[in-house]
Amino acid sequence: MAQDGFRAAEIDTSRPHPARIYDYLLGGKDNYEVDQLAGDELAAAAPEVRIGVRANRAFLQRAVRHVVAGGVRQILDIGTGLPTSPNVHEIAHETAPDVRVAYVDNDPIVAAHANALLSSSGATSVVLGDLRDPRAVVDHPDVRRTIDFDEPVALLLVAVLHFLTDAEQPAQAVAALRDALPAGSFLVLSHATGDFADRSAAQAVYNKATATLNLRSRAEVERFFDGFELIEPGLAQVPFWRPDTTPPPRSHEIGFYGGVARKTT
C-alpha cells in the first residue's frame, strides 16, 4: 500500500485513470486530455454513461443523507475520487455538522486535490490508500484519527469495486472492512453492471486505463452485502433507489446498481 508521501514521478498521467474519467464525465476540470479522450470513447460505447454517473452521484447524496439521518456520525469513503461539490462531508453536514469523514483513494492526484480542499477542516482526513489492502486502510493513523471503530460507521464503496478483478478478491476486501465495523454500521455500495446492455466496448476503454472495468451481475453485486441487511428497496438501479425527484430519461438503461445495508450484529 502506498504511503501519503509520493513523488511527482509516481503520478501517471500517460494513461487514463478511473477517478479522472469520472470527473470528466461529471463535467469537472481535474482531468487530462488522455482522460477526456477515454471519457468520449466511453460515452460513444455506452451512450447513457453521462446520465449514469450523475445518477450514481445523486444516489450517493441520498444514501449519505439517509445514514446520517439514522444517527451515524462518521463516514469512511474508500475510492472517493476527485472532489465534486457537494462532497460527502458537505452533504453530511447539512444534516449533522458533527459528522467526521475519512476519504481514501489510491490516486496521488486525488489525494493532493482533496488535501488542498480540506486542509482547514478538522472533521475530515484524506488518506492515500488502496481498497485492495483493507487492513492497511483501517489501521492508517489518519483514518484512526477521524474514525472510531467502536462506534457505528458508514462505509462508502461507491463506484469502486468494479475496478477490482476477481483475482484481486473484492469480496474478501469488503468482508475485511465489514468485520472492522461495529453493529449499527452501514454499507453504501454501487457497482457497474452489464445486465441491461452489452457493455464489452465500454470495458475495452478501461483496458488502456490504470484499472480495468469488471462488470458484475445483480447476484454477484448482492453478494458484497453478505453480513449486512439491505434496507428497502434493496439493490436497485441507482436512479430508483429512494428517488427524491423524477428519475431522468433513459434511467432504465443505466448500468449501475446501488444499495444501502446495515450491520445488525
Side-chain angles (χ1 to χ4, degrees):
M1 176 173 163
Q3 298 301 311
D4 291 59
F6 57 89
R7 302 183 302 274
E10 294 172 342
I11 301 176
D12 185 359
T13 60
S14 66
R15 292 188 296 164
H17 187 283
R20 301 194 302 263
I21 297 172
Y22 192 85
D23 176 73
Y24 171 66
L25 292 171
L26 282 172
K29 298 179 180 178
D30 296 320
N31 49 74
Y32 296 89
E33 183 178 6
V34 67
D35 307 304
Q36 297 161 16
L37 292 172
D40 290 341
E41 190 177 350
L42 186 61
E48 80 288 353
V49 67
R50 283 191 168 88
I51 61 169
V53 296
R54 289 194 294 269
N56 184 67
R57 189 75 191 174
F59 159 76
L60 168 66
Q61 295 175 13
R62 297 194 303 275
V64 168
R65 292 187 186 106
H66 174 83
V67 298
V68 173
V72 170
R73 291 296 178 267
Q74 42 186 9
I75 298 172
L76 176 58
D77 182 5
I78 302 179
T80 183
L82 284 152
T84 301
S85 189
N87 295 289
V88 166
H89 69 284
E90 294 170 328
I91 299 161
H93 290 168
E94 292 171 1
T95 302
D98 58 336
V99 174
R100 303 184 304 280
V101 181
Y103 292 103
V104 181
D105 202 280
N106 71 348
D107 183 4
I109 291 179
V110 170
H113 277 272
N115 267 312
L117 179 70
L118 303 173
S119 58
S120 63
S121 175
T124 60
S125 60
V126 181
V127 173
L128 188 63
D130 200 308
L131 177 58
R132 298 170 184 84
D133 192 351
R135 191 70 249 174
V137 170
V138 169
D139 290 340
H140 194 288
D142 286 340
V143 170
R144 290 281 175 172
R145 176 175 60 82
T146 307
I147 304 295
D148 177 359
F149 286 95
D150 291 327
E151 298 294 331
V153 178
L155 170 64
L156 274 52
L157 298 175
V158 176
V160 62
L161 283 166
H162 48 240
F163 295 118
L164 271 63
T165 66
D166 289 344
E168 291 170 317
Q169 302 183 316
Q172 288 87 333
V174 177
L177 292 165
R178 177 200 65 211
D179 292 346
L181 303 177
S185 295
F186 286 87
L187 171 62
V188 176
L189 184 152
S190 69
H191 195 294
T193 183
D195 282 358
F196 308 104
D198 178 2
R199 288 294 173 250
S200 53
Q203 286 181 286
V205 174
Y206 283 93
N207 290 338
K208 297 173 287 187
T210 57
T212 59
L213 178 64
N214 304 276
L215 304 177
R216 295 186 172 95
S217 68
R218 179 188 182 91
E220 290 172 316
V221 176
E222 282 183 329
R223 284 197 284 272
F224 290 126
F225 290 95
D226 287 352
F228 294 90
E229 291 186 5
L230 278 160
I231 66 171
E232 290 295 328
L235 190 66
Q237 284 172 275
V238 288
F240 305 113
W241 190 90
R242 300 194 177 197
D244 51 12
T245 60
T246 301
R250 302 183 67 177
S251 285
H252 286 89
E253 301 174 31
I254 290 174
F256 276 102
Y257 285 121
V260 177
R262 192 169 186 267
K263 184 177 179 181
T264 58
T265 58

